Amino acid sequence: MTSAVAATATAARQGPRLRGLTWTVLRVHRPALLVWCAYVLLMTGWMFWVQYVSGARVRAEMAACRRVEGGCIDVMTFSHSMNEGWIGTLIAYASYGIAAWAGASLIGRELERGTAQLAWAQSISPTRWLTAKLAVPAVALTVGTTVLVLVYRWFWTASQDLRGSEWHDPDPFLNRGPAVLAYALCALAVGALAGIALRRSLPALAVAFGLILWFHLYVDRHWHELWPARTLSGTGGSWFPSQHPASHFWPLHLMTTSVILTVAVVATGAAYWLLRRRTR
Amino acid sequence: MTDTAIETAALGKRFGWRQGGWALRDCTLRLPVGRVCAVVGPNGAGKSTLLAHAAGLLAPTEGGISVLGTTPSAARERMAYVAQDKPLYPQLTVAETLRMGAELNPRRWDAAVAGRIVEEGGLDLGSKIRSLSGGQRTRVALALALGKRPELLLLDEPMADLDPLARHQLMGTLLADSADHGTTVVMSSHVVAELEGSCDHLFLLGGGRVRLAGPLDALIAAHTLVTGPTGDLAPHTVVESRTTGRQITALIRPEGRIAAGWRTAEPTLEELVLAHLRAPGAPALTLTDEGDAHDEGDGGTNSGNNDGETNGTRTRGASV
């Protein structure tokens, strides 16, 4: 024991360090944080690899093809758009995993096992507990997703010559701005709400996953209605079937983001309300 | 400073929406500070529900509860609670669990107290909670609770997984600590023998209701075990009686003198508890401390709270 006390005391003298509830949340959910960091690094590395390693090979091949009479079968471009598609999908759909984790591991299991009540039996009120449980992952999600969005924007523009997707395709549409971050935060809030409502990890996992899946599909189908479409009279270029010019990307994207954030705020409010009603 | 550790007024809790799902009903109790109180009752009596309300983990369906003169949530910092299944994070080590106690109780944590309890069990600080036995986990959970230096310690079935030696030793630590610091201890159990000799106050719950409440010696003094030939025991209140041949043995609450011809004895705690558990229809009895500021009468108040049969008709019975 004395060694642990001494270790704690020395750590305290080494300037600022994590304390209190923040330390507890980070320590308890350390594996999840490591997985998140690995995911961000992997996706970032994959985009750099596609652009600089495999993309360079494809470009060399394309240049060689152009010199051949009659051209050649374009296999490498296909592999590029496969990579590009997977990257876009894995970033755009990360919120499914976040919702499942938040429902099951962050909140549901804690209430099921009684470790949430253990925290509340210390000097921590349920409201403060939920605040830390939401704030710490929210910071990690914001930092990680911001990195991914910035790298993805660069990647999407840099691979313009090879890419197969348009601005209005579902994944690039989400991934090139704050909408994908809004989804991550919304998934966190929906997961927390499911965890508090159901108080068991497995049902919370299923319900949170199902809710965010349904919401994602619903928004996918309706986001183009969030900004008035222009009647078709343009001069060509990239046109969305329902007559959105490429210049509508930001208005549409920001409207979509605000819809997702509204749902996130409502879910967060409901989670606090339910927790306060259950405990006193 | 208040002299009341826990006070409940018609506290009731229903889980779910079922009509009969009351875990606790009409619970009116008062526990003065500095007591070591046993909460006794069969499984499903409402013991855990009562303790969880006191710990501020549940919101009552009806009625109210105050702890240390304030609401349970305002008293959170001044009390400790150990739940029945001793929840701890399995992925943390013993040392990390104690650090969590320090981090989550920044103004109260006493690392020496918590460390001593863990040390007495010979626990390795580096071992993960998941590798510990049930009894060792109980020890860590108690270390976390006592390290907080609580004014009120709420323990739900604290000794259930401990071997007799560890039970005796931890109970000793607990009682010595409580005596040194004037800590109020509330301990639930369905093993009455576990509590005999260590408690001075008793709450007996049954079917979600209070059956007996008050200082232990006053409760025992209010009852008499009588044995004699079959006959009328009026005007005394009969809690339970058993006839064997022409002999009758009964636990009564004497009203005036007991007629000659009855052999009388003072019941033990176990006899008192068992008689009430075997006779669910017996009227409830709540005694308050003599000379207590909140005393409502001359030494004792009997409150009739006669629960009807199990068919759900609830009648507040006449006073005893």
Side-chain angles (χ1 to χ4, degrees):
Chain A
M1 181 59 218
T2 38
S3 64
V5 174
T8 321
T10 24
R13 266 179 254 116
Q14 287 164 356
R17 60 170 197 135
L18 290 167
R19 288 209 147 273
L21 202 45
T22 312
W23 175 83
T24 310
V25 173
L26 278 172
R27 176 61 196 88
V28 167
H29 298 290
R30 194 163 66 187
L33 182 66
L34 292 177
V35 167
W36 174 246
C37 290
Y39 163 80
V40 172
L41 284 176
L42 196 79
M43 298 308 295
T44 311
W46 193 357
M47 285 188 267
F48 279 109
W49 181 81
V50 168
Q51 171 62 17
Y52 289 120
V53 182
S54 79
R57 255 186 278 145
V58 177
R59 288 187 184 95
E61 174 125 332
M62 277 170 73
C65 269
R66 260 182 244 117
R67 289 192 292 273
V68 177
E69 189 75 27
C72 44
I73 303 163
D74 200 358
V75 183
M76 295 291 270
T77 327
F78 176 68
S79 92
H80 177 89
S81 47
M82 279 267 291
N83 272 324
E84 181 208 328
W86 273 113
I87 290 168
T89 304
L90 285 175
I91 295 176
Y93 292 79
S95 55
Y96 291 27
I98 296 164
W101 170 79
S105 178
L106 183 71
I107 306 284
R109 189 171 47 188
E110 298 255 332
L111 290 168
E112 184 174 38
R113 267 200 205 145
T115 40
Q117 289 84 339
L118 177 71
W120 309 343
Q122 311 306 312
S123 308
I124 305 294
S125 73
T127 313
R128 264 189 69 203
W129 171 83
L130 181 59
T131 304
K133 282 284 198 181
L134 291 174
V136 173
V139 168
L141 289 174
T142 305
V143 171
T145 311
T146 304
V147 168
L148 286 181
V149 166
L150 293 176
V151 177
Y152 187 85
R153 283 186 64 82
W154 159 82
F155 170 70
W156 203 77
T157 313
S159 65
Q160 214 160 10
D161 50 338
L162 298 179
R163 68 159 190 258
S165 59
E166 295 291 338
W167 70 269
H168 51 71
D169 285 337
D171 300 348
F173 175 74
L174 285 180
N175 294 351
R176 289 170 59 231
V180 71
L181 171 59
Y183 262 130
L185 299 177
C186 183
L188 179 67
V190 167
L193 175 60
I196 290 171
L198 298 166
R199 288 175 283 191
R200 265 170 304 161
S201 57
L202 213 54
L205 182 148
V207 167
F209 185 90
L211 279 176
I212 209 77
L213 173 78
W214 172 81
F215 180 57
H216 201 136
L217 293 177
Y218 183 83
V219 171
D220 260 5
R221 189 171 293 178
H222 293 285
W223 61 257
H224 61 83
E225 296 161 14
L226 291 172
W227 197 253
R230 216 183 264 170
T231 45
L232 193 68
S233 64
T235 53
S238 58
W239 287 87
F240 186 59
S242 67
Q243 301 104 32
H244 279 297
S247 64
H248 280 192
F249 170 75
W250 279 113
L252 280 168
H253 187 93
L254 292 177
M255 287 300 288
T256 309
T257 306
S258 60
V259 166
I260 301 166
L261 281 181
T262 307
V263 172
V265 168
V266 170
T268 309
Y272 274 103
W273 175 80
L274 201 57
L275 188 66
R276 284 187 62 85
R277 215 178 73 103
R278 291 247 174 91
T279 58
R280 198 169 289 172
Chain B
M1 220 27 227
T2 172
D3 58 351
T4 304
I6 300 179
E7 191 158 25
T8 67
L11 183 70
K13 178 69 179 179
R14 185 171 55 189
F15 289 108
W17 290 275
R18 284 171 298 120
Q19 202 52 49
W22 289 96
L24 201 62
R25 195 84 202 259
D26 270 337
C27 177
T28 301
L29 293 168
R30 184 177 166 272
L31 177 68
V33 293
R35 295 305 182 102
V36 177
C37 176
V39 181
V40 182
N43 296 318
K47 306 186 295 288
S48 297
T49 308
L50 176 64
L51 289 181
H53 275 95
L57 303 178
L58 286 176
T61 309
E62 58 178 34
I65 181 164
S66 72
V67 171
L68 299 169
T70 175
T71 62
S73 52
R76 203 178 291 282
E77 202 172 7
R78 292 152 61 203
M79 62 182 167
Y81 167 74
V82 177
Q84 190 166 6
D85 41 5
K86 323 288 179 306
L88 292 169
Y89 289 106
Q91 71 268 40
L92 264 57
T93 63
V94 174
E96 283 171 330
T97 304
L98 296 184
R99 163 138 187 227
M100 182 181 78
E103 297 289 353
L104 298 185
N105 300 292
R107 284 192 287 272
R108 298 191 77 91
W109 187 251
D110 188 334
V113 171
R116 200 184 66 228
I117 291 173
V118 166
E119 219 163 50
E120 280 170 355
L123 292 183
D124 177 12
L125 283 168
S127 48
K128 297 257 191 221
I129 298 294
R130 75 167 96 251
S131 70
L132 302 183
S133 72
Q136 290 171 321
R137 261 204 286 273
T138 299
R139 189 176 280 280
V140 177
L142 283 172
L144 206 54
L146 284 172
K148 194 179 175 181
R149 280 256 149 274
E151 289 168 37
L152 170 64
L153 185 54
L154 303 163
L155 305 170
D156 198 353
E157 303 271 357
M159 304 294 169
D161 324 310
L162 292 173
D163 62 71
L165 192 64
R167 183 180 299 203
H168 187 259
Q169 186 239 329
L170 264 179
M171 196 69 125
T173 308
L174 210 69
L175 294 177
D177 193 82
S178 128
D180 288 352
H181 299 92
T183 314
T184 311
V185 182
V186 182
M187 231 182 305
S188 81
S189 181
H190 53 249
V191 187
V192 179
E194 181 175 298
L195 303 163
E196 196 136 34
S198 49
C199 298
D200 54 14
H201 210 91
L202 178 75
F203 293 154
L204 174 64
L205 303 182
R209 286 161 187 282
V210 181
R211 306 291 313 284
L212 281 178
L216 196 53
D217 43 6
L219 283 175
I220 286 180
H223 292 83
T224 306
L225 205 57
V226 294
T227 314
T230 45
D232 194 12
L233 276 164
H236 313 300
T237 306
V238 181
V239 174
E240 189 217 19
S241 68
R242 271 176 300 169
T243 315
T244 42
R246 269 173 292 165
Q247 281 275 332
I248 184 168
T249 306
L251 184 77
I252 62 167
R253 291 178 199 152
E255 305 279 327
R257 284 196 46 189
I258 298 171
W262 292 96
R263 271 181 288 121
T264 64
E266 185 177 73
T268 62
L269 172 62
E270 191 149 18
E271 281 162 343
L272 186 68
V273 167
L274 286 178
H276 280 84
L277 293 184
R278 280 194 295 255
L285 176 68
T286 301
L287 299 179
T288 48
D289 289 286
E290 261 177 85
D292 183 59
H294 290 255
D295 200 358
E296 294 156 54
D298 48 344
T301 334
N302 292 3
S303 79
N305 187 2
N306 195 345
D307 198 354
E309 296 307 311
T310 46
N311 62 12
T313 50
R314 300 194 307 102
T315 47
R316 283 192 69 99
S319 243
V320 181

